[in-house]
Amino acid sequence: MPIFEKFRESWVRPALFFGNNPVSLAGGAVTSAAGVTMIGYWLMEFFGRSNANPYLGIIFFLILPALFILGLALIPVGIVLRRRALQKAGQIPTEFPKIDLNDRIFRHGLDIVLLATIVNLLVVAIASYRGAAYMDSPQFCGQSCHVMHPEYTAYRISAHSHVPCVECHIGSGASSYFAAKVNGTKQLIEVTFHPFAHLAPKIVPDYPTPIPSPVTSLRPAREICESCHTPAKFVGEKLLVESSFADDVQNTETQTVLVLHLGGEDSLSHLTGIHGVHLGHIEYIATDAGRTTIPWVERTNPDGTKTVFTASVLNGAMPRGERRVMDCIDCHNRAAHTFVSAEDAINRAMADGAINPDLPWIHKEGLALLKANYASQEEANAKIPAGLEAFYRASNPAVLSTRAALVKAAGQELVTLYSENVFPSMKVTWGTHPNNIGHIEYPGCFRCHDGDHSAKNGASITQDCAACHNLLAVDEAKPKVLSDIGMQ
Ligand code: HEC
Ligand code: HEC
Ligand code: HEC
Ligand code: HEC
Ligand code: HEC
């Protein structure tokens, strides 16, 4: 028997015979329906009428392709079921209804099946490709579920708003891609079951609030960050000017001016300054999950010898905890997701004029309104501007009548500051995600540079202010140095 003949006799004919059952037919219908809908959507998108809503994306790139495949899977399931039922009843025909290739109708039927299969394959291929690409977009990562809302909000206003999430969060290579998708699926399940989680806490899967930091699965930071930032091009010195306003009626402004010795790798490959020192090899052990308590630090010196610095509490013992090679993330832990303190938020808004410093008491009142407790963003949206108006109405009604627009703008700006930093539904509030870059608001550099980490030879990790920066002015009104360099 020629091979095609054999195939037709023992496969095609039985398949057609058994395939004539409700389950397989329903499967075929689901598949074609999903396929047609997807093709329609792609055509629509092709002609530029797409919808940016990520929930729609979930339907068209995840749910419909899933239905499509489910339908395909139902066809063989139906065939097997019918075969089994007939077998039990002893009704399997010894010979299946004849297929006659001379029969025109049957030939056309075969053509159609063949064509449909090719189209189906194409659809699955494109759908899975599109699905994968879609799941990689910042839109999917950041917007699809409110769980990522805090990180997405901070990301959108960061210097990295044009860097896709996957650039930093998913390592290169198939295994990390796979790990990320598995993790993502776990998160989708947690999000799906979240509404029922309170019924049986710890049993029903649920996502953590807030999402914990640090991210232990992040790939080595130098690999990520140095794909864009070349250490040899780091700046030598960096001027920082910070304004702050007092809690008095005229919101007295003072400024701090400092020059940070950033350093980097110079043209002779010397490592200098803040960046340079830590680009060398430093390992540490952190004894808490947040990497804030660091009692043990080991530096590999340029000559290859090692110096171990330990906190006095250790008394020479080796601590237990996470051992890590220090990299960019240990200082720039909020690179793409900076949440600021309420003080910094209002000081910056007042310095750049978004909140007008001429409004009496605006610093004190604004700060109190920012730090108050609100059950939701909506509540804050209503209560912050109302609170500000109520304050002026009670204490200084003239402000409301003569500068209504300024008060309104200040109220709106406070709402914006709140919405960029506090997310009640995710239990993210002021200070939830500490920033390690300095030492004023969080331990930051002083986790190691606290003057209490010393080596056997008596050396210690420096706390000398001048090692890191020159303080040109600290909380001065109109610092002279700024006018000297033409900045005031
Ligand atoms: C420039 C690199 C970069 C980009 C781009 C980036 N992230 Fe991050 N992300 C980080 C770093 C660094 C951390 C903190 C890691 C740590 O502390 O260990 C982090 C932490 C997080 C966390 C953990 C919770 C937290 O706040 O620390 C989430 C969730 C997150 N990012 C989501 C996103 C999403 C969603 C996007 C895209 C919309 C994104 N990230 C884009 C670098 C990045
Ligand atoms: C895909 C490229 C890319 C990657 C990857 C990247 N950055 Fe950036 N980074 C940029 C760009 C672009 C800017 C903006 C420069 C500007 O606005 O002048 C920037 C700005 C910065 C700044 C200064 C602005 C700020 O937010 O303080 C820091 C610090 C920084 N990046 C650190 C990091 C760190 C740490 C990582 C690794 C976690 C990283 N970057 C990964 C492209 C990248
Ligand atoms: C020991 C802590 C530390 C480490 C480690 C570190 N940085 Fe920085 N970096 C700083 C500080 C401090 C600043 C200045 C912060 C500021 O502007 O407020 C800075 C600033 C920067 C800037 C902005 C420069 C500018 O012109 O504003 C970039 C970009 C940057 N770092 C990238 C990196 C990258 C990439 C790595 C890893 C290879 C890294 N840093 C490792 C402390 C560190
Ligand atoms: C994990 C611990 C750790 C953290 C966090 C850390 N450093 Fe360091 N730093 C070290 C070690 C170790 C040395 C080398 C000390 C030595 O060999 O004398 C060092 C050295 C330095 C030096 C050179 C000092 C000198 O005497 O020349 C500067 C500057 C510096 N760090 C700045 C910073 C800044 C700024 C931050 C925060 C943004 C920071 N460091 C955070 C461990 C740390
Ligand atoms: C290990 C390095 C390091 C040491 C030591 C250090 N600082 Fe700093 N300091 C920093 C960094 C980094 C910043 C910038 C943080 C930022 O980018 O906002 C800073 C910022 C500041 C600021 C400005 C804060 C603001 O935002 O207005 C003051 C004031 C300051 N330091 C005072 C001191 C004094 C006083 C000492 C000495 C007792 C000291 N620092 C020691 C690293 C250091």
Side-chain angles (χ1 to χ4, degrees):
M1 208 188 285
I3 208 152
F4 183 68
E5 191 78 1
K6 195 169 165 192
F7 172 71
R8 198 195 295 150
E9 284 304 320
S10 48
W11 288 100
V12 178
R13 277 170 62 181
L16 285 178
F17 176 74
F18 292 123
N20 189 3
N21 71 74
V23 176
S24 301
L25 290 178
V30 166
T31 294
S32 2
V36 168
T37 320
M38 281 190 289
I39 292 172
Y41 181 75
W42 294 331
L43 282 180
M44 216 167 75
E45 213 187 27
F46 184 75
F47 291 112
R49 296 187 59 89
S50 67
N51 189 318
N53 186 325
Y55 293 101
L56 269 190
I58 287 188
I59 295 177
F60 284 103
F61 298 136
L62 298 176
I63 296 181
L64 278 181
L67 278 179
F68 187 87
I69 290 168
L70 177 83
L72 280 186
L74 278 181
I75 297 175
V77 167
I79 290 179
V80 169
L81 287 181
R82 173 146 194 242
R83 207 190 118 124
R84 215 180 270 164
L86 289 181
Q87 213 164 25
K88 242 192 197 155
Q91 286 175 1
I92 295 200
T94 43
E95 193 167 344
F96 294 103
K98 194 136 186 93
I99 297 172
D100 185 358
L101 271 190
N102 292 324
D103 178 353
R104 261 186 57 221
I105 297 182
F106 180 74
R107 252 194 352 251
H108 280 290
L110 260 194
D111 291 347
I112 289 172
V113 168
L114 209 69
L115 202 75
T117 309
I118 293 173
V119 172
N120 277 357
L121 280 180
L122 270 178
V123 169
V124 169
I126 300 178
S128 43
Y129 172 77
R130 296 287 316 253
Y134 172 67
M135 286 197 283
D136 277 356
S137 69
Q139 197 194 39
F140 176 81
C141 304
Q143 245 179 310
S144 297
C145 61
H146 67 283
V147 175
M148 297 284 169
H149 188 51
E151 283 73 24
Y152 186 63
T153 306
Y155 159 86
R156 277 214 335 253
I157 53 173
S158 82
H160 294 112
S161 58
H162 292 288
V163 180
C165 321
V166 291
E167 287 273 326
C168 295
H169 282 283
I170 300 180
S172 43
S175 68
S176 59
Y177 179 86
F178 185 71
K181 289 289 177 261
V182 169
N183 196 14
T185 309
K186 178 175 156 269
Q187 289 168 9
L188 270 183
I189 293 173
E190 289 170 350
V191 170
T192 313
F193 282 97
H194 174 71
F196 315 103
H198 65 279
L199 300 175
K202 294 211 166 70
I203 298 171
V204 178
D206 193 8
Y207 53 80
T209 50
I211 302 183
S213 268
V215 181
T216 47
S217 60
L218 221 61
R219 73 181 155 127
R222 296 195 55 176
E223 213 175 277
I224 315 172
C225 315
E226 287 183 12
S227 64
C228 294
H229 299 284
T230 324
K233 294 286 172 213
F234 285 167
V235 286
E237 303 281 322
K238 181 171 181 181
L239 182 72
L240 274 189
V241 181
E242 310 262 5
S243 289
S244 53
F245 296 81
D247 279 345
D248 54 17
V249 60
Q250 65 273 47
N251 314 299
T252 306
E253 181 179 6
T254 54
Q255 286 173 310
T256 295
V257 183
L258 51 107
V259 175
L260 277 172
H261 308 314
L262 267 192
E265 193 181 316
D266 69 15
S267 49
L268 299 171
S269 301
H270 294 137
L271 297 174
T272 65
I274 297 171
H275 276 142
V277 186
H278 306 88
L279 283 171
H281 194 87
I282 294 176
E283 289 186 23
Y284 69 81
I285 295 177
T287 52
D288 66 331
R291 297 182 188 146
T292 42
T293 311
I294 302 181
W296 186 94
V297 183
E298 180 190 79
R299 177 185 188 193
T300 305
N301 303 304
D303 63 6
T305 58
K306 292 182 178 184
T307 313
V308 174
F309 301 90
T310 53
S312 54
V313 287
L314 285 184
N315 276 325
M318 191 74 177
R320 286 214 262 163
E322 178 196 12
R323 184 168 178 152
R324 228 179 99 78
V325 177
M326 191 174 180
D327 65 25
C328 320
I329 299 293
D330 288 295
C331 297
H332 295 285
N333 64 327
R334 306 310 308 168
H337 320 284
T338 315
F339 301 111
V340 297
S341 66
E343 285 81 359
D344 276 358
I346 193 165
N347 281 333
R348 283 177 201 175
M350 289 177 68
D352 69 22
I355 293 177
N356 195 312
D358 290 342
L359 287 169
W361 293 110
I362 185 67
H363 183 266
K364 183 166 189 274
E365 271 316 301
L367 196 55
L369 286 167
L370 279 182
K371 284 181 161 177
N373 257 326
Y374 307 100
S376 65
Q377 179 67 49
E378 291 69 36
E379 192 180 315
N381 293 351
K383 284 194 173 166
I384 292 177
L388 194 60
E389 269 190 37
F391 166 74
Y392 286 121
R393 195 171 303 117
S395 68
N396 197 340
V399 173
L400 268 192
S401 50
T402 57
R403 290 187 244 172
L406 288 187
V407 174
K408 190 157 181 249
Q412 278 319 307
E413 179 64 15
L414 288 172
V415 165
T416 304
L417 298 177
Y418 182 88
S419 71
E420 286 170 355
N421 293 285
V422 182
F423 306 85
S425 64
M426 285 304 293
K427 300 205 178 77
V428 171
T429 182
W430 307 105
T432 300
H433 290 293
N435 190 338
N436 289 337
I437 208 75
H439 55 82
I440 305 284
E441 273 157 336
Y442 306 105
C445 312
F446 284 12
R447 290 172 299 162
C448 300
H449 291 266
D450 60 353
D452 184 48
H453 284 67
S454 37
K456 286 219 175 71
N457 64 8
S460 67
I461 305 182
T462 184
Q463 200 178 21
D464 176 8
C465 320
C468 299
H469 46 54
N470 281 354
L471 292 165
L472 303 178
V474 178
D475 284 334
E476 278 179 34
K478 301 209 185 315
K480 180 170 173 301
V481 59
L482 285 186
S483 51
D484 285 350
I485 57 174
M487 284 182 70
Q488 209 156 53

